[in-house]
Structures are given as C-alpha cells and as structure tokens.
Amino acid sequence: MSESNSSSSRVTWEGCSVLLDINDGDRLVFARLSPAAKLKIGNKNCSLQPLIGRAFGTVFQVDTAPNGPYLSPAQVNVNNAEEIGDGQGNNEMDKVNVNNAAQARDGEVNVESRDNRALVDNNTAQSLTGEDIEAMRRQGARGNEIIEALIANSATFEKKTSFSQEKYRLKKQKKYAPKVLMRRPVARSICEAYFKKYPSKIGFLRVDTLSLLLSMANVSSNSDILVVDMVGGLLTGAVAERLGGTGFVCNSYFGQAPYSMDIVRIFNLSDEICKRILRSPISDLLPKESPEQVLEHDVCNVESQSNDQTSALASMDEISHSSENGISDIGIENTEPAIEIRKAPKAGERPQKEIIDSWRENGFSSLIVAAPELDAWTLVRDLLPLLANSAPFAIYHQYLQPLATCMHNLQLEKMAIGLQISEPWLREYQVLPSRTHPCMQMSAFGGYILSGTKICNSTANSSSNRTVLL
Amino acid sequence: MLACHPAKMLSFNRLISDGDLVIVYEKHDSMKAVTVCEGSVLQNRFGVFKHSDWIGKPFGSKVFSSKGGFVHLLAPTPELWTMVLNHRTQILYIADISFVIMYLEVVPGCVVLESGTGSGSLTTSLARAVAPSGHVNTFDFHEQRAESARADFERTGLSSLVTVKVRDIQGEGFPDDFSGMADSVFLDLPQPWLAIPSAAKVLRNDGTFCSFSPCIEQVQRTCETLRTHFTDIRTFEILLRTYEVRQEKMQSSREDGNDSNGSLPSKRRQCSDGSYVLGSCPSISSVMARPCGEARGHTGYLTFARVKCVS
Ligand SMILES: C[S@@+](CC[C@H](N)C(=O)[O-])C[C@H]1O[C@@H](n2cnc3c(N)ncnc32)[C@H](O)[C@@H]1O
C-alpha cells in the first residue's frame, strides 16, 4: 500500500486532511497538515508539524519544551488490560496511572462500599493553588504529574466513590493534560463531527441515515449516481468514497449556481476519485426536447419553495452560529494557504458531452436527494425519468409531510414500486461491569427517508391484480 | 448483481436475457428470486408466467400471467437479496447492515474478514462495498451453510469478491496468513469474545472491528475482552420505524363556504357514493402518514472498536 496521498493510506502526509478530536470530542477540528499549520489547545499554540508522517489513530499530548509547547505521541501500552474506560469510547487514559486505575476497577465490581454521604463541597478540598501548579509547570512537570499532585492534595478524593474518582480524574486530565486524537476524515467521522458541532450545515443528516441512503440507492462501484446535495457536499463525498474511483457521482443543481460542496475537500479523496465527481445543472441532463420550458418551471419551484422556508432557515442559522466555534473547516486552521491550493482536489468539473450523452442513453443507476430546501415531489417527478429502469432511489428529508406527499403521488402516477418511508432510531449504550445502560443522552431525530425503485412507464393497461384476486 | 463490468450496468437498454437473476416483485413484502430460464414458468396466486415472455424486456417491466395478473421484474440489489434469500440462519437486515458498513469504514479495495457467514445477508453488502478491488473472506464452521453460501454468491455473481471457508473461528481464530492484513473484522458468533484476540492480530493498525450480538450478556463480555487491544469501544442499537401513507377524507366541522384556508379539493367532494347527503359539511381530503403498527423491536447490539495504534 503506497504511503502517497490516497484515501486508503493509514499514515498522514504533508497536505493531508485530518480530524483532530480534542478531549473525547469536546472540540473537533478539521485541519490540513503543513509545517506551518498551528492549532491552539487551551492557551497554547501548537505546531501541527509533529503530526505529519504519523499513523491515524495516534493520540498526542501537549508537552512543554524550552522553545514552547509541542505535540508528542502519548504512550499506549497495548498489553495493559487495566485500562479503565468510560464506556463511551475515546478512553485513552494515560498509562502513568496504571496502579490507580487497577484499584479503581477492583472497587467498582459489584460492591461499592463508599458512598457520597460525607462529601461536602466547600471549595477547600484542594490545597494546591493555581500558583503552585504554575510553578510545577515551570519546572517541567507533565500534565499527568500535575493530575497526580492534584489528587494527592485533594482532601476528598479518597472519600469519593470510584465512579466519581474517575470523573474527577477525567476532568483534571482534560484541563491539565489535553489529548488530541488524530482521526481519518472519512464519511463516518466527517458526518459525526458535523452532526455534533454544526448539524445545520449538513441538514441534520445523522450518520446512520447517511449510511441508509447509500445502501438504499445501491451505491456500488461502476455506477453512475445522480445526487442533489444541499448538505454541503457530505453526500457527494460519501458517494464518491464508495465509488472508489469508478463510475460517476453527478452533483446536480437547479438554476445557475451550483450548491456548495466544501465538505468534499475534507475527505482525503485521491485524484482518481475526485475526477469522478462531476457537477451539472439539471437542465443539461434533461432530454433535449424543450429543456427551456422545464427548467423555467423548476426555477419557479425553487423560488417559491425557498420563500416558504424562510423561517425555518433563519432558525437553522442561529444554531450554526452558536456552535460554529467548535468546528473549523480546513483552511481556517491552515496558516499556509499555498499548500492547500496545491493539494486541493479538482472535484466538481462539468461533465463532458460524451458523458452526458451516455447518461441520456443509459440513464443513471440511482438517485439520492438530500435537499431540505426543495420540494420533494416536484424534484422527484422531474429527476426520476433520468434514471434507468429498475433503478433504486432514496430521498432524505427532515420533515415527514413532503415525503408522504411525494410517496402518495408516486403511487398515483405508478412511477415506482417498493415505496417506503423509514425513520432510523439509533441508541448508544454505556457498557461497564455492573453499570450497563443506554446512554443518558441520545439524538432523538435522524430524519426520514423515502426509498423505492423506478419502474418502466408502461403503456396503460386495463387489468389489475385486484380483479384477478376477486 | 454488481456492475463489475460496465456492460452489466443498469441501463435503459439492458434487457432481461436467459440465465439472468431477477427479483419478482408482487408486493413490498412478497418477492422472490428467479433465475430466468427459457421454457420455465413461474406460478403464483396471480397465475402462470412464462419466462419466455420476460426475455427481451427491460428490467423494471410489468409482466402478465395467463390470467391477466401481473408482477414486476427487478434487477437484483443486495437490499432486495436480503429480502428474498433462503434463511438458513438468523440474518442481518438493512438498518444493521448499512450502519455496520459505514461504521467499519469499508470502502472499495478493503480486505474484510467475517464470521459466521450464516445466510450471507451481510456478506452480500460487504462484497458490494469492497468491489471492485477488495475482498471479503468469510468463515463458518458449518460445512453445509458454507456450501449453500458459496452457491448463492455464484448465483448473485459475487464469487470473485467473496471467499467462503469452513473453520471454527471461536476455536482456532482466523488463519495466520491474514496477520496484519485486514482493514475490518466482523463477528456474528455466539461467543464473540473467544475470537477477539485473533481479530486484533489480523487487523492492520487503526483497523476497525464490529461484533453483532442479540444479548446484552454477550456484549458485556465482548467489551471487557476488547479493552485489552482495542480503543474507541462503542455499542449501539439501531432500529427502523416505517410509515404508512394514506389519503383520507375527513368531514369539516365548519359550514360549507366558511373555510378560509381554501384547501377544499372540490373534485374529492363529489366522488362520494351518495352517502354525503349532509352537503353542508364538506369533507377535506389530505395525505397523512403514521408509523406502521408493528415493527421489529430488537435485532441485536452492535459493538464497534478500533485496534490500538502503536506508532
Ligand atoms: C446468525 S448466523 C450469521 C448470519 C449472518 N450475519 C447473515 O447476515 O446472514 C451465525 C453463524 O455463525 C456460525 N458459527 C457459530 N459458531 C461458529 C464458530 N465457532 N466458527 C465459525 N462459525 C460459527 C453458525 O454456523 C452460523 O451460520
């Protein structure tokens, strides 16, 4: 496997895009690695240079050196079975604490003898002051040593239940020994990061819903997938990732201006894969007969639709502003734009005439729509004829009603069969000895999908199964 | 089933030919896989269908029986296959399958190890995800099941992407020649924790792992065992709620003509069979959706993890 900039590489390279997960998802940052790129963690500015040439999945910690803070890989002891976990994943605890961790585990199996009846929170429990900690730092103490000192000087730590001890340790670790987990930016991690920090940008499309769209539309190598992606390019990128440099994903749009697909650049898609992402106005894809007429009508739809939805859009904007700080698009974190330009994949070219002709002649293999701002029925009515016969399709929407109307009309017009509206429900569990239960927080809503299969528009026929059955 | 050759691609022009696998669709919950054979017939409650009538028609066509009943002929996909395959074991369905593939980060070119093969429902979707250049190696200790699965992959045209082997994975683990070779490992076994040390060995750095188990006790043991070699351990449950859509007429409580919403579809009002003698109470017709009454309440828990990265 080559170490070059391919989507399958497990080692980073200069110019590569990464997802940095700081303190178990407290902060999620997309960054492009370059020697000049810097990231602020807590109050320290760290160069991202040490991340280049490292394996994805590596956890880094902030160390202090005479010439400033720097990121270095945290020790991971593979054979250490004593690691304590919070059951929510991302539980890279430091191995300096092995002894304490082992104790904590012993204490938590089945019988917990301590409880919190004697605990009084009066702010005097900690005898170390802020100045003491600063002094330790100046003498080169590492984050873990500071945490141990805080525990040793805590009057209440010993009285805490092991569960609260873990929580205490985690809280201090986040503050004094932040961890940076370097993740591979793929459909899963990108979708989860946006859903957590900036969901309006991706139309509140949850990762399980995205996964269903890809299966329901039978996204597979060598197919030509028609998409309407008003979720920032997440859908286009996810489809391209599944095509692996074969077939085409046609990112289509109404009117003159293509929809944003910024998110595509966050994926580390190889040039081969990027070439397979094409962008085309829908009017170019329609049959040549009177395209003008159809297009006008579509533009009208879009306009009236967006008027209807102004209030909904306004409320989504607020969400995005309030949570914008947590996540950064690549480029924002990048202090060296030159590198970014050099590496920026050339996704989204206009398809050549021969390709459009072949789509016209054969039809697309499937259709996926994630367009919160467009009317589902008019969209599907216009795009379904562009699909090959027996092609599956999947339409995402945050609201049920537009899909219900669309499904009903498709049934009346006998354009498709196997129609189904489904809503995924996803629940995560905490799994720990004697403490297994569903997580206290869950996403209560991942959107709706209308799926089905296009059938040949057969000439009207009089007989029906019902008459036969009678 | 997959367009490994561009000529196999679904297209307006692709016509059903002798030997093709087609999915005969009667209703959403009533489908059947049929291999087209000149001279054969399909018999169901709608009558007798001659395969020879199907040949030369495009996929997606409506075809008729001697009695005038009809079915649709669809091109097979992994989703349709999951709905029609022979159940030799419990199988995974679309919601779990889709989530597994996304969360394992399976993409074209990946090498995936799976055990047990069971009825091959998941395997079929894994094969689609790794195509055209990757491979799925699937293991089941049940000789007959492995044989039937092989026959199925032959029939669905996936045999170049899938290798089925007979092996006791809980007892022996995955073969040593896969050491450090797998991008992902998937287990659907009664005692998955027994195979976890082997899974850690065959996975590449940062490789992904998933285990499916119906019972929480299995999950508990799996997670405890995973902590040694794995990180990012997360357990999920995924279900699908489906909706039914109807157009219903309801009587408005208002007197006719006072409706300021103006949403009365006049043509709906006259289509009654005469029972609407109360002409002053107009009926409003609207499309409504509600969840289907019955659904699968549990399939299993999915536990994911990632091999600890030694760098
Ligand atoms: C529930 S089925 C798997 C279903 C499959 N995931 C699907 O979607 O079709 C479990 C399979 O594991 C196999 N099995 C059980 N113990 C095994 C072992 N120790 N080694 C290999 N296979 C085993 C069984 O024979 C059975 O076919």
Side-chain angles (χ1 to χ4, degrees):
Chain A
M1 200 69 27
S2 81
E3 305 276 273
S4 68
N5 49 344
S6 80
S7 36
S8 63
S9 175
R10 303 287 170 144
V11 176
T12 63
W13 62 93
E14 190 176 330
C16 144
S17 157
V18 296
L19 170 57
L20 300 176
D21 176 333
I22 300 157
N23 281 338
D24 299 346
D26 283 1
R27 242 182 107 197
L28 297 167
V29 177
F30 289 109
R32 201 172 281 281
L33 298 184
S34 76
K38 284 209 159 60
L39 175 68
K40 194 156 187 189
I41 302 168
N43 52 2
K44 302 194 185 66
N45 237 333
C46 301
S47 161
L48 297 184
Q49 158 87 50
L51 275 54
I52 300 174
R54 291 286 180 173
F56 283 106
T58 306
V59 177
F60 294 86
Q61 62 191 23
V62 185
D63 277 334
T64 10
N67 48 356
Y70 69 99
L71 287 165
S72 71
Q75 296 286 294
V76 176
N77 182 352
V78 171
N79 293 317
N80 167 32
E82 307 302 337
E83 176 175 346
I84 51 168
D86 58 3
Q88 315 259 351
N90 316 332
N91 43 22
E92 283 297 330
M93 300 293 285
D94 226 289
K95 296 302 124 31
V96 183
N97 307 325
V98 163
N99 290 336
N100 307 54
Q103 275 165 22
R105 258 176 74 86
D106 290 343
E108 84 199 3
V109 178
N110 287 326
V111 196
E112 174 68 73
S113 51
R114 285 161 294 184
D115 59 30
N116 56 12
R117 75 184 84 183
L119 277 192
V120 185
D121 190 2
N122 58 7
N123 262 339
T124 58
Q126 182 54 255
S127 53
L128 275 191
T129 66
E131 281 126 62
D132 296 337
I133 294 168
E134 255 330 292
M136 282 182 74
R137 270 204 200 289
R138 277 196 300 276
Q139 284 154 32
R142 301 186 68 177
N144 304 307
E145 291 163 335
I146 293 173
I147 295 168
E148 290 312 311
L150 285 167
I151 288 171
N153 288 284
S154 162
T156 51
F157 187 82
E158 287 306 319
K159 294 200 202 98
K160 287 178 196 282
T161 63
S162 59
F163 181 61
S164 333
Q165 286 181 344
E166 266 177 58
K167 265 171 77 175
Y168 180 88
R169 189 182 290 282
L170 201 66
K171 218 171 95 191
K172 299 298 170 194
Q173 175 258 308
K174 284 181 174 185
K175 182 148 184 218
Y176 296 103
K179 293 268 185 290
V180 180
L181 168 60
M182 182 165 70
R183 285 183 188 276
R184 223 152 55 95
V186 292
R188 163 190 165 180
S189 58
I190 295 172
C191 185
E192 283 193 310
Y194 271 98
F195 193 79
K196 191 164 176 189
K197 301 291 185 188
Y198 195 175
S200 62
K201 166 101 185 191
I202 56 164
F204 301 87
L205 181 61
R206 206 170 58 197
V207 64
D208 51 321
T209 314
L210 175 60
S211 79
L212 278 160
L213 290 176
L214 299 175
S215 333
M216 285 168 165
N218 191 28
V219 176
S220 47
S221 57
N222 285 305
S223 33
D224 295 346
I225 318 281
L226 178 60
V227 307
V228 182
D229 176 345
M230 296 178 83
V231 292
L234 173 65
L235 178 61
T236 307
V239 171
E241 188 179 270
R242 291 276 175 105
L243 292 177
T246 67
F248 288 103
V249 45
C250 176
N251 175 304
S252 65
Y253 54 93
F254 287 96
Q256 303 306 310
Y259 309 135
S260 150
M261 40 177 234
D262 294 351
I263 295 177
V264 167
R265 297 187 314 148
I266 297 175
F267 289 78
N268 280 313
L269 299 177
S270 68
D271 290 352
E272 201 41 59
I273 294 179
C274 286
K275 272 191 263 166
R276 302 299 173 146
I277 302 177
L278 300 174
R279 256 206 291 208
S280 168
I282 284 166
S283 54
D284 282 9
L285 304 173
L286 295 172
K288 291 213 180 79
E289 304 86 70
S290 65
E292 286 310 314
Q293 215 181 341
V294 187
L295 177 65
E296 267 173 40
H297 145 91
D298 285 328
V299 171
C300 287
N301 278 340
V302 176
E303 277 167 4
S304 58
Q305 191 56 31
S306 53
N307 283 338
D308 291 343
Q309 302 241 330
T310 336
S311 54
L313 285 176
S315 66
M316 290 200 297
D317 266 348
E318 278 162 36
I319 299 169
S320 73
H321 285 308
S322 58
S323 56
E324 209 159 8
N325 302 337
I327 196 160
S328 316
D329 274 344
I330 45 172
I332 296 178
E333 293 292 336
N334 190 350
T335 52
E336 197 68 26
I339 286 170
E340 201 197 327
I341 289 159
R342 181 159 57 85
K343 290 291 179 189
K346 328 163 263 310
E349 306 265 306
R350 274 270 183 128
Q352 286 168 344
K353 190 180 167 297
E354 305 83 79
I355 294 176
I356 293 199
D357 286 345
S358 110
W359 289 336
R360 283 213 181 103
E361 194 188 327
N362 298 307
F364 287 95
S365 335
S366 68
L367 165 71
I368 311 180
V369 176
E373 293 150 56
L374 299 181
D375 174 60
W377 162 239
T378 45
L379 189 78
V380 169
R381 185 192 57 199
D382 292 343
L383 296 187
L384 220 52
L386 305 183
L387 303 191
N389 292 313
S390 196
F393 57 89
I395 319 297
Y396 165 78
H397 212 283
Q398 296 170 60
Y399 294 96
L400 179 57
Q401 195 54 46
L403 295 185
T405 304
C406 183
M407 173 160 159
H408 184 70
N409 290 333
L410 283 169
Q411 266 162 349
L412 288 181
E413 310 265 315
K414 297 195 166 51
M415 290 168 79
I417 54 172
L419 291 166
Q420 183 145 57
I421 294 178
S422 25
E423 179 193 8
W425 180 92
L426 182 71
R427 175 172 236 176
E428 185 163 8
Y429 283 74
Q430 165 182 293
V431 182
L432 286 173
S434 309
R435 295 214 313 269
T436 293
H437 57 70
C439 292
M440 297 301 182
Q441 294 292 323
M442 72 182 270
S443 152
F445 181 61
Y448 302 97
I449 302 171
L450 168 63
S451 59
T453 304
K454 183 205 166 181
I455 50 174
C456 299
N457 50 349
S458 50
T459 43
N461 52 78
S462 48
S463 52
S464 76
N465 280 334
R466 177 164 303 148
T467 56
V468 173
L469 276 172
L470 285 173
Chain B
M1 178 181 294
L2 301 181
C4 290
H5 312 286
K8 287 260 178 92
M9 229 170 92
L10 208 52
S11 127
F12 290 134
N13 312 324
R14 247 205 80 208
L15 305 179
I16 295 170
S17 53
D18 200 20
D20 275 349
L21 175 66
V22 299
I23 307 294
V24 175
Y25 176 102
E26 291 173 22
K27 278 194 312 171
H28 190 70
D29 52 0
S30 167
M31 287 184 252
K32 192 176 182 268
V34 174
T35 302
V36 179
C37 177
E38 178 94 68
S40 277
V41 294
L42 167 76
Q43 190 151 16
N44 65 14
R45 58 198 171 124
F46 302 123
V48 178
F49 296 81
K50 283 199 269 184
H51 287 198
S52 54
D53 291 346
W54 302 353
I55 296 172
K57 292 226 162 69
F59 282 98
S61 291
K62 189 178 195 176
V63 292
F64 295 89
S65 76
S66 47
K67 290 201 287 179
F70 68 83
V71 294
H72 282 94
L73 303 178
L74 302 183
T77 65
E79 285 61 47
L80 292 172
W81 183 252
T82 288
M83 292 195 261
V84 299
L85 58 75
N86 272 326
H87 285 223
R88 301 175 287 265
T89 60
Q90 291 276 18
I91 64 166
L92 262 63
Y93 292 94
I94 185 166
D96 289 299
I97 292 174
S98 309
F99 195 61
V100 163
I101 289 176
M102 168 71 79
Y103 237 68
L104 285 179
E105 302 173 0
V106 180
V107 295
C110 280
V111 172
V112 180
L113 305 192
E114 179 199 28
S115 185
T117 312
S119 308
S121 173
L122 174 68
T123 322
T124 304
S125 286
L126 286 172
R128 170 177 64 191
V130 302
S133 47
H135 204 82
V136 182
N137 295 281
T138 180
F139 301 85
D140 203 295
F141 70 175
H142 194 289
E143 192 119 15
Q144 244 172 330
R145 274 180 208 149
E147 196 41 60
S148 306
R150 253 182 235 123
D152 275 357
F153 301 137
E154 199 65 54
R155 190 171 182 214
T156 48
L158 300 177
S159 32
S160 63
L161 295 163
V162 182
T163 306
V164 187
K165 292 217 175 93
V166 178
R167 189 177 171 97
D168 174 4
I169 295 298
Q170 292 183 177
E172 304 174 67
F174 292 102
D176 282 338
D177 26 323
F178 286 109
S179 276
M181 302 283 285
D183 295 285
S184 309
V185 168
F186 178 88
L187 304 179
D188 180 355
L189 292 172
Q191 297 165 294
W193 54 90
L194 296 176
I196 287 175
S198 164
K201 222 194 280 172
V202 293
L203 280 168
R204 307 165 53 162
N205 226 351
D206 204 34
T208 51
F209 169 92
C210 177
S211 173
F212 173 93
S213 297
C215 303
I216 199 72
E217 290 81 2
Q218 294 170 300
V219 173
Q220 193 85 39
R221 286 194 76 165
T222 301
C223 287
E224 269 164 53
T225 313
L226 280 172
R227 289 195 182 106
T228 312
H229 295 280
F230 289 83
T231 176
D232 213 354
I233 303 162
R234 299 176 71 177
T235 300
F236 296 93
E237 190 182 11
I238 181 167
L239 294 172
L240 273 194
R241 173 184 248 187
T242 55
Y243 286 78
E244 52 187 45
V245 173
R246 282 240 167 91
Q247 183 165 38
E248 300 272 7
K249 280 196 287 256
M250 284 169 293
Q251 278 184 22
S252 164
S253 58
R254 295 208 186 170
E255 292 290 301
D256 202 357
N258 292 349
D259 193 298
S260 52
N261 293 329
S263 62
L264 289 179
S266 48
K267 59 173 179 235
R268 293 284 164 198
R269 268 198 283 160
Q270 75 220 6
C271 76
S272 73
D273 53 1
S275 57
Y276 284 91
V277 279
L278 294 171
S280 56
C281 282
S283 66
I284 298 174
S285 168
S286 56
V287 175
M288 299 183 286
R290 67 156 201 204
C292 298
E294 266 187 48
R296 221 172 260 125
H298 179 64
T299 57
Y301 301 99
L302 289 167
T303 298
F304 294 90
R306 203 176 269 283
V307 178
K308 272 187 196 164
C309 189
V310 267
S311 60

